[in-house]
Amino acid sequence: MSSPILYIVVPCYNEEEALPISARRLLELTDDMVEKALISPKSRIVLVDDGSKDRTWEVISGLHEENERFDGIKLAHNAGHMNALWAGMTLSAPRCDCLVSIDADLQDDVNAIYGFLKEYAAGADVVYGVRSSRKTDTPFKRGTAQGFYKLMHRLGVEMVYNAADYRLLSRRALEALLSFGEVNMFLRGMVPMLGFKTAKVEYERGVRVAGESKYPLKKMVAFAIEGITSTTNKPIRYVTALGLLCVILGLAMAVYVLVSLFSGHTVAGWPSIMMSIWMLGGLQLVALGMIGEYVGKIYMETKRRPKFILEEHLTSDEG
């Protein structure tokens, strides 16, 4: 069996500082794997510029000119991490036997790719990179991350615990994933839906090689909401159940009001009425917001806008 053609897709957004370091590490890794006949010399490192505002594209262009192993993809506008990754996967799928996705900060240990390839050779179509611990996270981030995974599990979303977007996909798994047509994507919930043979490789997560994190708290919250509303409709069902509970509480409150009226203690019931009004008003607003989130996603899906717009593609491959 010949060595597989591996494509490593790296989404980049304002990674001018980190990219020279991470690109060198990835090049050393792929050179070693080619030398050991683990992958084909046709393997590539695909750097996707997600509409960066710094010199990220200039760095990518320079890397491509220096070494044909680097491919460059420039998106015309910032499309977001998921869409940038999707662009890299879409343009790489016809050329590779398997594909690995990894962030440009290289907090994920690149040496885990050796394990990915071993599992791939053993027949796995999807290999997840799974963090062995979260000791490098702050207590807040660790707690919120674990809470998110538990919440998603309760909502019925199939996810791999402590696995991010560091994974290997075989060509058939990649093609199956790219057949998904939705605009609102949550890859961590979509990949487990494929149903192919899977494996896990554990690794220790490190610190950024350079630059600043592109995921502040605001983006993390938005990411969590996107993940929930893109993969399950159970929150709407919970809102319905909560509405029924409010009806029951409302009936109980009506009985209380009538008893207070006939006993001449209507003034004493004023706090309860006010609490009920505020509670019901708040629940209604939450319910409307939840429903609005789903309606908004339906709105975006019906537009059928492209996930990304390609401005430039630097590649040494034919076709």
Side-chain angles (χ1 to χ4, degrees), residues 96-221:
C96 68
D97 296 315
C98 56
L99 179 145
V100 168
S101 58
I102 187 171
D103 291 341
D105 56 24
L106 291 197
Q107 286 186 272
D108 300 314
D109 184 8
V110 296
N111 292 314
I113 297 178
Y114 288 104
F116 289 1
L117 291 171
K118 182 179 179 180
E119 296 292 347
Y120 169 75
D125 285 290
V126 180
V127 185
Y128 297 99
V130 179
R131 296 177 61 173
S132 56
S133 68
R134 285 187 170 270
K135 61 184 180 182
T136 58
D137 289 349
T138 62
F140 174 76
K141 187 173 183 180
R142 187 184 308 120
T144 54
Q146 292 174 344
F148 173 68
Y149 281 107
K150 291 177 181 178
L151 175 62
M152 295 297 279
H153 178 71
R154 287 184 175 275
L155 292 175
V157 179
E158 186 179 356
M159 287 180 61
V160 178
Y161 186 69
N162 275 346
D165 291 311
Y166 185 30
R167 66 177 75 86
L168 177 145
L169 298 172
S170 69
R171 182 165 181 170
R172 71 170 180 169
L174 180 59
E175 290 175 345
L177 180 62
L178 293 175
S179 69
F180 284 42
E182 59 255 46
V183 173
N184 301 285
M185 298 184 299
F186 184 64
L187 293 178
R188 299 184 195 184
M190 292 165 62
V191 173
M193 296 179 188
L194 298 177
F196 294 114
K197 181 180 178 181
T198 64
K200 299 177 184 177
V201 173
E202 290 192 350
Y203 68 95
E204 284 285 346
R205 186 171 170 86
V207 297
R208 286 184 61 91
V209 296
E212 299 179 352
S213 172
K214 304 302 185 295
Y215 261 85
L217 178 60
K218 181 179 178 181
K219 281 194 174 182
M220 289 173 62
V221 172

